[in-house]
Short mmCIF file of all heavy atoms in Angstrom, two decimals:
data_model
loop_
_atom_site.label_atom_id
_atom_site.label_comp_id
_atom_site.label_asym_id
_atom_site.label_seq_id
_atom_site.Cartn_x
_atom_site.Cartn_y
_atom_site.Cartn_z
N MET A 1 114.41 138.14 121.07
CA MET A 1 115.39 138.81 121.90
C MET A 1 115.36 138.29 123.34
O MET A 1 116.37 138.25 123.98
CB MET A 1 115.17 140.30 121.84
CG MET A 1 115.39 140.82 120.47
SD MET A 1 115.41 142.59 120.45
CE MET A 1 115.39 142.81 118.71
N ASN A 2 114.18 137.92 123.80
CA ASN A 2 114.08 137.34 125.13
C ASN A 2 114.13 135.82 125.09
O ASN A 2 113.82 135.16 126.06
CB ASN A 2 112.77 137.77 125.81
CG ASN A 2 112.80 139.23 126.19
OD1 ASN A 2 113.87 139.78 126.39
ND2 ASN A 2 111.65 139.84 126.30
N SER A 3 114.53 135.24 123.95
CA SER A 3 114.54 133.79 123.81
C SER A 3 115.58 133.14 124.73
O SER A 3 115.40 132.02 125.15
CB SER A 3 114.78 133.38 122.37
OG SER A 3 116.06 133.81 121.96
N GLN A 4 116.66 133.83 125.04
CA GLN A 4 117.67 133.26 125.93
C GLN A 4 117.12 133.11 127.34
O GLN A 4 117.48 132.20 128.06
CB GLN A 4 118.91 134.13 125.97
CG GLN A 4 119.72 134.05 124.70
CD GLN A 4 121.01 134.82 124.82
OE1 GLN A 4 121.33 135.34 125.87
NE2 GLN A 4 121.74 134.90 123.73
N ARG A 5 116.21 133.96 127.74
CA ARG A 5 115.65 133.90 129.08
C ARG A 5 114.76 132.67 129.25
O ARG A 5 114.65 132.13 130.33
CB ARG A 5 114.84 135.16 129.36
CG ARG A 5 114.31 135.25 130.75
CD ARG A 5 114.08 136.69 131.13
NE ARG A 5 113.43 136.78 132.40
CZ ARG A 5 114.04 136.75 133.57
NH1 ARG A 5 115.34 136.61 133.60
NH2 ARG A 5 113.38 136.86 134.69
N ASN A 6 114.14 132.20 128.17
CA ASN A 6 113.25 131.06 128.25
C ASN A 6 113.92 129.74 127.92
O ASN A 6 113.28 128.71 127.96
CB ASN A 6 112.05 131.26 127.31
CG ASN A 6 111.16 132.38 127.80
OD1 ASN A 6 111.07 132.63 128.99
ND2 ASN A 6 110.51 133.05 126.88
N GLU A 7 115.19 129.75 127.57
CA GLU A 7 115.87 128.52 127.23
C GLU A 7 116.21 127.74 128.50
O GLU A 7 116.66 128.32 129.48
CB GLU A 7 117.14 128.80 126.45
CG GLU A 7 116.85 129.29 125.05
CD GLU A 7 118.04 129.20 124.15
OE1 GLU A 7 118.98 128.45 124.48
OE2 GLU A 7 118.03 129.89 123.13
N PRO A 8 116.00 126.43 128.47
CA PRO A 8 116.31 125.62 129.65
C PRO A 8 117.82 125.45 129.82
O PRO A 8 118.58 125.54 128.86
CB PRO A 8 115.66 124.27 129.34
CG PRO A 8 115.59 124.21 127.86
CD PRO A 8 115.43 125.64 127.39
N ARG A 9 118.22 125.23 131.05
CA ARG A 9 119.62 124.95 131.37
C ARG A 9 119.69 123.66 132.16
O ARG A 9 118.81 123.37 132.97
CB ARG A 9 120.22 126.08 132.19
CG ARG A 9 120.35 127.35 131.42
CD ARG A 9 121.26 128.29 132.12
NE ARG A 9 121.32 129.55 131.40
CZ ARG A 9 121.91 130.62 131.85
NH1 ARG A 9 122.47 130.60 133.04
NH2 ARG A 9 121.94 131.72 131.15
N TRP A 10 120.74 122.92 131.95
CA TRP A 10 120.95 121.69 132.71
C TRP A 10 121.52 122.03 134.08
O TRP A 10 122.34 122.94 134.21
CB TRP A 10 121.94 120.77 131.99
CG TRP A 10 121.43 120.21 130.72
CD1 TRP A 10 121.73 120.65 129.46
CD2 TRP A 10 120.52 119.13 130.57
NE1 TRP A 10 121.06 119.90 128.54
CE2 TRP A 10 120.32 118.95 129.19
CE3 TRP A 10 119.87 118.29 131.45
CZ2 TRP A 10 119.48 117.96 128.69
CZ3 TRP A 10 119.04 117.30 130.95
CH2 TRP A 10 118.85 117.15 129.58
N ILE A 11 121.08 121.30 135.08
CA ILE A 11 121.66 121.47 136.42
C ILE A 11 122.89 120.59 136.50
O ILE A 11 122.87 119.43 136.08
CB ILE A 11 120.66 121.06 137.52
CG1 ILE A 11 119.48 122.02 137.52
CG2 ILE A 11 121.33 121.04 138.88
CD1 ILE A 11 118.47 121.73 138.59
N HIS A 12 123.97 121.12 137.03
CA HIS A 12 125.20 120.37 137.21
C HIS A 12 125.30 119.87 138.65
O HIS A 12 124.86 120.52 139.59
CB HIS A 12 126.42 121.24 136.88
CG HIS A 12 126.51 121.55 135.43
ND1 HIS A 12 127.29 120.84 134.56
CD2 HIS A 12 125.89 122.49 134.67
CE1 HIS A 12 127.17 121.33 133.34
NE2 HIS A 12 126.31 122.35 133.39
N CYS A 13 125.88 118.69 138.80
CA CYS A 13 126.04 118.08 140.11
C CYS A 13 126.99 118.92 140.97
O CYS A 13 128.08 119.27 140.53
CB CYS A 13 126.60 116.67 139.95
SG CYS A 13 126.99 115.84 141.50
N PRO A 14 126.59 119.25 142.22
CA PRO A 14 127.48 120.02 143.08
C PRO A 14 128.68 119.22 143.58
O PRO A 14 129.65 119.78 144.04
CB PRO A 14 126.58 120.45 144.24
CG PRO A 14 125.44 119.52 144.23
CD PRO A 14 125.29 119.02 142.83
N VAL A 15 128.64 117.89 143.46
CA VAL A 15 129.73 117.04 143.94
C VAL A 15 130.80 116.86 142.86
O VAL A 15 131.97 117.15 143.08
CB VAL A 15 129.19 115.66 144.40
CG1 VAL A 15 130.32 114.75 144.84
CG2 VAL A 15 128.18 115.83 145.51
N CYS A 16 130.39 116.38 141.66
CA CYS A 16 131.38 116.07 140.62
C CYS A 16 131.39 117.09 139.48
O CYS A 16 132.32 117.11 138.68
CB CYS A 16 131.15 114.67 140.07
SG CYS A 16 129.62 114.47 139.13
N GLY A 17 130.34 117.92 139.34
CA GLY A 17 130.30 118.96 138.32
C GLY A 17 129.75 118.52 136.98
O GLY A 17 129.69 119.33 136.05
N ASN A 18 129.32 117.27 136.83
CA ASN A 18 128.76 116.80 135.57
C ASN A 18 127.30 117.17 135.45
O ASN A 18 126.62 117.41 136.44
CB ASN A 18 128.93 115.29 135.43
CG ASN A 18 130.37 114.92 135.17
OD1 ASN A 18 131.02 115.51 134.33
ND2 ASN A 18 130.86 113.95 135.92
N LYS A 19 126.80 117.15 134.20
CA LYS A 19 125.39 117.44 133.97
C LYS A 19 124.52 116.33 134.52
O LYS A 19 124.88 115.16 134.45
CB LYS A 19 125.10 117.58 132.47
CG LYS A 19 125.47 118.91 131.90
CD LYS A 19 124.82 119.14 130.57
CE LYS A 19 125.47 118.34 129.48
NZ LYS A 19 124.98 118.71 128.15
N THR A 20 123.38 116.72 135.08
CA THR A 20 122.41 115.74 135.54
C THR A 20 121.29 115.67 134.50
O THR A 20 121.37 116.31 133.47
CB THR A 20 121.83 116.13 136.91
OG1 THR A 20 121.17 117.38 136.79
CG2 THR A 20 122.92 116.23 137.96
N ARG A 21 120.24 114.94 134.79
CA ARG A 21 119.13 114.80 133.85
C ARG A 21 118.01 115.80 134.14
O ARG A 21 116.89 115.61 133.71
CB ARG A 21 118.58 113.38 133.93
CG ARG A 21 119.58 112.35 133.48
CD ARG A 21 119.02 110.97 133.63
NE ARG A 21 120.00 110.00 133.18
CZ ARG A 21 120.23 108.86 133.77
NH1 ARG A 21 119.56 108.52 134.85
NH2 ARG A 21 121.13 108.04 133.30
N THR A 22 118.31 116.85 134.87
CA THR A 22 117.30 117.82 135.27
C THR A 22 117.56 119.16 134.58
O THR A 22 118.67 119.66 134.61
CB THR A 22 117.33 118.02 136.80
OG1 THR A 22 117.23 116.74 137.43
CG2 THR A 22 116.21 118.90 137.26
N LYS A 23 116.52 119.70 133.96
CA LYS A 23 116.60 121.01 133.32
C LYS A 23 115.78 122.00 134.12
O LYS A 23 114.78 121.64 134.73
CB LYS A 23 116.01 120.97 131.92
CG LYS A 23 116.86 120.35 130.88
CD LYS A 23 116.18 120.52 129.54
CE LYS A 23 116.91 119.80 128.46
NZ LYS A 23 116.24 119.95 127.16
N VAL A 24 116.20 123.27 134.11
CA VAL A 24 115.44 124.33 134.75
C VAL A 24 115.31 125.51 133.80
O VAL A 24 116.14 125.71 132.92
CB VAL A 24 116.10 124.81 136.07
CG1 VAL A 24 116.05 123.72 137.12
CG2 VAL A 24 117.50 125.28 135.86
N TYR A 25 114.23 126.25 133.98
CA TYR A 25 113.99 127.48 133.23
C TYR A 25 114.20 128.67 134.16
O TYR A 25 114.38 128.51 135.37
CB TYR A 25 112.56 127.50 132.69
CG TYR A 25 112.33 126.52 131.57
CD1 TYR A 25 111.96 125.22 131.83
CD2 TYR A 25 112.49 126.90 130.25
CE1 TYR A 25 111.75 124.31 130.80
CE2 TYR A 25 112.28 126.01 129.21
CZ TYR A 25 111.91 124.71 129.51
OH TYR A 25 111.71 123.83 128.48
N ALA A 26 114.15 129.87 133.62
CA ALA A 26 114.37 131.08 134.41
C ALA A 26 113.30 131.25 135.47
O ALA A 26 113.56 131.82 136.53
CB ALA A 26 114.40 132.30 133.50
N ASP A 27 112.10 130.74 135.23
CA ASP A 27 111.02 130.89 136.21
C ASP A 27 110.83 129.66 137.10
O ASP A 27 109.88 129.58 137.86
CB ASP A 27 109.71 131.23 135.50
CG ASP A 27 109.27 130.16 134.52
OD1 ASP A 27 110.09 129.27 134.20
OD2 ASP A 27 108.12 130.21 134.07
N THR A 28 111.76 128.70 137.05
CA THR A 28 111.68 127.50 137.88
C THR A 28 112.10 127.82 139.31
O THR A 28 113.11 128.48 139.53
CB THR A 28 112.60 126.39 137.33
OG1 THR A 28 112.22 126.10 136.00
CG2 THR A 28 112.51 125.14 138.17
N VAL A 29 111.30 127.34 140.26
CA VAL A 29 111.61 127.50 141.68
C VAL A 29 111.50 126.13 142.34
O VAL A 29 110.47 125.47 142.23
CB VAL A 29 110.65 128.48 142.36
CG1 VAL A 29 110.93 128.58 143.85
CG2 VAL A 29 110.74 129.84 141.71
N MET A 30 112.57 125.69 142.99
CA MET A 30 112.57 124.39 143.69
C MET A 30 113.20 124.58 145.07
O MET A 30 114.21 125.26 145.20
CB MET A 30 113.38 123.35 142.92
CG MET A 30 112.81 122.99 141.59
SD MET A 30 113.63 121.61 140.79
CE MET A 30 115.19 122.32 140.30
N PHE A 31 112.61 123.95 146.06
CA PHE A 31 113.16 123.96 147.42
C PHE A 31 113.27 122.52 147.90
O PHE A 31 112.33 121.74 147.74
CB PHE A 31 112.27 124.76 148.38
CG PHE A 31 112.23 126.23 148.05
CD1 PHE A 31 111.11 126.78 147.46
CD2 PHE A 31 113.31 127.04 148.31
CE1 PHE A 31 111.06 128.11 147.14
CE2 PHE A 31 113.29 128.38 148.00
CZ PHE A 31 112.16 128.92 147.41
N ASN A 32 114.40 122.18 148.49
CA ASN A 32 114.67 120.83 149.00
C ASN A 32 114.45 119.77 147.92
O ASN A 32 113.88 118.72 148.17
CB ASN A 32 113.81 120.53 150.22
CG ASN A 32 114.20 121.38 151.39
OD1 ASN A 32 115.37 121.66 151.60
ND2 ASN A 32 113.23 121.81 152.15
N PHE A 33 114.92 120.04 146.71
CA PHE A 33 114.77 119.11 145.60
C PHE A 33 115.88 118.06 145.68
O PHE A 33 117.06 118.40 145.76
CB PHE A 33 114.86 119.86 144.27
CG PHE A 33 114.72 118.98 143.07
CD1 PHE A 33 113.47 118.53 142.69
CD2 PHE A 33 115.82 118.61 142.33
CE1 PHE A 33 113.33 117.72 141.58
CE2 PHE A 33 115.69 117.79 141.23
CZ PHE A 33 114.44 117.34 140.85
N PRO A 34 115.54 116.77 145.65
CA PRO A 34 116.56 115.72 145.72
C PRO A 34 117.19 115.50 144.33
O PRO A 34 116.65 114.79 143.50
CB PRO A 34 115.79 114.50 146.19
CG PRO A 34 114.40 114.73 145.73
CD PRO A 34 114.20 116.22 145.72
N LEU A 35 118.32 116.12 144.09
CA LEU A 35 119.01 116.02 142.81
C LEU A 35 119.90 114.78 142.83
O LEU A 35 120.76 114.63 143.69
CB LEU A 35 119.87 117.26 142.57
CG LEU A 35 120.66 117.29 141.28
CD1 LEU A 35 119.72 117.45 140.09
CD2 LEU A 35 121.68 118.40 141.30
N TYR A 36 119.69 113.88 141.86
CA TYR A 36 120.49 112.66 141.76
C TYR A 36 121.44 112.77 140.58
O TYR A 36 121.04 113.15 139.48
CB TYR A 36 119.57 111.44 141.57
CG TYR A 36 120.34 110.16 141.38
CD1 TYR A 36 120.95 109.53 142.45
CD2 TYR A 36 120.46 109.58 140.13
CE1 TYR A 36 121.66 108.37 142.29
CE2 TYR A 36 121.16 108.41 139.94
CZ TYR A 36 121.77 107.80 141.03
OH TYR A 36 122.48 106.64 140.87
N CYS A 37 122.69 112.41 140.80
CA CYS A 37 123.70 112.43 139.75
C CYS A 37 123.94 110.99 139.30
O CYS A 37 124.37 110.16 140.10
CB CYS A 37 124.99 113.06 140.24
SG CYS A 37 126.30 113.04 139.00
N PRO A 38 123.70 110.68 138.01
CA PRO A 38 123.92 109.32 137.53
C PRO A 38 125.39 108.94 137.44
O PRO A 38 125.72 107.75 137.44
CB PRO A 38 123.26 109.30 136.15
CG PRO A 38 123.19 110.72 135.73
CD PRO A 38 123.12 111.54 136.99
N LYS A 39 126.28 109.91 137.40
CA LYS A 39 127.70 109.57 137.27
C LYS A 39 128.34 109.23 138.63
O LYS A 39 128.94 108.18 138.78
CB LYS A 39 128.47 110.73 136.65
CG LYS A 39 129.94 110.43 136.55
CD LYS A 39 130.61 111.11 135.44
CE LYS A 39 132.05 110.61 135.42
NZ LYS A 39 132.77 111.10 134.32
N CYS A 40 128.16 110.10 139.63
CA CYS A 40 128.78 109.83 140.93
C CYS A 40 127.84 109.10 141.88
O CYS A 40 128.23 108.75 142.98
CB CYS A 40 129.32 111.11 141.55
SG CYS A 40 128.07 112.31 142.04
N LYS A 41 126.59 108.89 141.45
CA LYS A 41 125.59 108.12 142.20
C LYS A 41 125.29 108.70 143.58
O LYS A 41 125.05 108.00 144.53
CB LYS A 41 126.02 106.66 142.35
CG LYS A 41 126.50 106.00 141.08
CD LYS A 41 125.48 105.04 140.57
CE LYS A 41 125.98 104.19 139.43
NZ LYS A 41 126.10 104.81 138.18
N LYS A 42 125.31 110.03 143.66
CA LYS A 42 125.00 110.71 144.93
C LYS A 42 123.74 111.52 144.77
O LYS A 42 123.41 112.01 143.70
CB LYS A 42 126.15 111.60 145.34
CG LYS A 42 127.43 110.84 145.54
CD LYS A 42 128.30 111.49 146.54
CE LYS A 42 129.59 110.71 146.55
NZ LYS A 42 130.05 110.29 147.76
N GLU A 43 123.04 111.69 145.87
CA GLU A 43 121.83 112.51 145.90
C GLU A 43 122.09 113.68 146.83
O GLU A 43 122.56 113.50 147.95
CB GLU A 43 120.66 111.68 146.40
CG GLU A 43 119.35 112.42 146.34
CD GLU A 43 118.19 111.54 146.76
OE1 GLU A 43 117.91 110.56 146.06
OE2 GLU A 43 117.59 111.84 147.81
N THR A 44 121.78 114.88 146.35
CA THR A 44 122.00 116.10 147.12
C THR A 44 120.72 116.93 147.08
O THR A 44 120.11 117.08 146.03
CB THR A 44 123.14 116.93 146.48
OG1 THR A 44 124.27 116.08 146.31
CG2 THR A 44 123.52 118.09 147.36
N LYS A 45 120.31 117.46 148.22
CA LYS A 45 119.15 118.35 148.25
C LYS A 45 119.61 119.74 147.86
O LYS A 45 120.58 120.27 148.41
CB LYS A 45 118.52 118.38 149.63
CG LYS A 45 117.74 117.14 149.94
CD LYS A 45 116.98 117.33 151.22
CE LYS A 45 116.12 116.13 151.50
NZ LYS A 45 115.30 116.31 152.69
N ILE A 46 118.88 120.33 146.89
CA ILE A 46 119.26 121.65 146.39
C ILE A 46 118.05 122.58 146.38
O ILE A 46 116.91 122.13 146.43
CB ILE A 46 119.86 121.58 144.97
CG1 ILE A 46 118.82 121.03 143.97
CG2 ILE A 46 121.13 120.78 144.94
CD1 ILE A 46 119.19 121.26 142.53
N ASP A 47 118.34 123.87 146.31
CA ASP A 47 117.34 124.92 146.09
C ASP A 47 117.71 125.61 144.79
O ASP A 47 118.88 125.88 144.55
CB ASP A 47 117.35 125.95 147.22
CG ASP A 47 116.97 125.37 148.57
OD1 ASP A 47 116.27 124.35 148.61
OD2 ASP A 47 117.40 125.94 149.59
N VAL A 48 116.71 125.88 143.96
CA VAL A 48 116.94 126.59 142.70
C VAL A 48 115.95 127.73 142.60
O VAL A 48 114.75 127.55 142.81
CB VAL A 48 116.76 125.65 141.48
CG1 VAL A 48 116.89 126.43 140.19
CG2 VAL A 48 117.77 124.53 141.52
N MET A 49 116.47 128.93 142.30
CA MET A 49 115.62 130.10 142.12
C MET A 49 116.32 131.02 141.13
O MET A 49 117.49 131.35 141.32
CB MET A 49 115.40 130.80 143.45
CG MET A 49 114.41 131.92 143.40
SD MET A 49 114.10 132.52 145.05
CE MET A 49 112.35 132.39 145.06
N GLU A 50 115.62 131.39 140.06
CA GLU A 50 116.15 132.26 139.02
C GLU A 50 117.48 131.75 138.46
O GLU A 50 118.45 132.49 138.35
CB GLU A 50 116.30 133.69 139.54
CG GLU A 50 114.98 134.33 139.92
CD GLU A 50 115.16 135.73 140.48
OE1 GLU A 50 116.30 136.20 140.56
OE2 GLU A 50 114.14 136.33 140.83
N LEU A 51 117.53 130.47 138.14
CA LEU A 51 118.69 129.78 137.56
C LEU A 51 119.91 129.75 138.48
O LEU A 51 121.01 129.46 138.04
CB LEU A 51 119.07 130.39 136.20
CG LEU A 51 118.04 130.28 135.10
CD1 LEU A 51 118.52 131.02 133.86
CD2 LEU A 51 117.74 128.84 134.77
N LYS A 52 119.74 130.04 139.75
CA LYS A 52 120.83 129.97 140.71
C LYS A 52 120.59 128.78 141.64
O LYS A 52 119.52 128.64 142.22
CB LYS A 52 120.94 131.25 141.51
CG LYS A 52 121.33 132.40 140.63
CD LYS A 52 121.63 133.64 141.41
CE LYS A 52 122.17 134.68 140.48
NZ LYS A 52 121.39 135.84 140.38
N MET A 53 121.58 127.93 141.77
CA MET A 53 121.46 126.74 142.59
C MET A 53 122.27 126.88 143.87
O MET A 53 123.37 127.43 143.86
CB MET A 53 121.98 125.52 141.82
CG MET A 53 121.83 124.23 142.57
SD MET A 53 122.55 122.83 141.72
CE MET A 53 124.28 123.10 142.00
N ALA A 54 121.70 126.37 144.97
CA ALA A 54 122.39 126.35 146.25
C ALA A 54 122.06 125.03 146.93
O ALA A 54 120.96 124.49 146.76
CB ALA A 54 121.95 127.52 147.12
N ILE A 55 122.99 124.51 147.70
CA ILE A 55 122.76 123.28 148.45
C ILE A 55 121.88 123.61 149.65
O ILE A 55 122.14 124.56 150.37
CB ILE A 55 124.08 122.65 148.89
CG1 ILE A 55 124.90 122.25 147.66
CG2 ILE A 55 123.83 121.43 149.76
CD1 ILE A 55 126.29 121.76 147.97
N SER A 56 120.81 122.80 149.84
CA SER A 56 119.90 123.01 150.96
C SER A 56 120.56 122.67 152.28
O SER A 56 121.41 121.79 152.35
CB SER A 56 118.64 122.15 150.80
OG SER A 56 117.93 122.53 149.69
N LYS A 57 120.11 123.34 153.32
CA LYS A 57 120.66 123.05 154.65
C LYS A 57 119.63 122.42 155.51
O LYS A 57 118.47 122.53 155.37
CB LYS A 57 121.15 124.33 155.29
CG LYS A 57 122.34 124.88 154.57
CD LYS A 57 122.89 126.09 155.26
CE LYS A 57 124.08 126.58 154.47
NZ LYS A 57 124.72 127.70 155.02
#
């Protein structure tokens, strides 16, 4: 019943919206993570907490 909470999710690129090669779990915490998108070839710093992504400032 709690299996959905532990399933990984792909992070989507904030620029083009495509899937990247990075997966996160519900308990993953990242700050100032350099997310690279292989499709648009851009790197964006992001923060991830509780499966919510935000662009770092």
Side-chain angles (χ1 to χ4, degrees):
M1 296 190 189
N2 289 335
S3 63
Q4 288 185 5
R5 185 156 173 84
N6 291 331
E7 289 196 19
R9 292 196 183 172
W10 292 101
I11 294 182
H12 291 264
C13 175
V15 178
C16 68
N18 288 313
K19 279 197 286 189
T20 62
R21 296 178 179 139
T22 307
K23 283 186 186 179
V24 293
Y25 289 88
D27 60 347
T28 302
V29 177
M30 295 188 288
F31 294 105
N32 293 323
F33 180 78
L35 179 70
Y36 177 75
C37 177
K39 178 151 185 175
C40 67
K41 313 254 189 286
K42 300 209 185 231
E43 185 176 295
T44 308
K45 285 189 176 183
I46 62 165
D47 297 335
V48 175
M49 187 173 234
E50 297 178 1
L51 297 176
K52 294 188 173 118
M53 183 184 75
I55 297 174
S56 295
K57 293 184 180 182

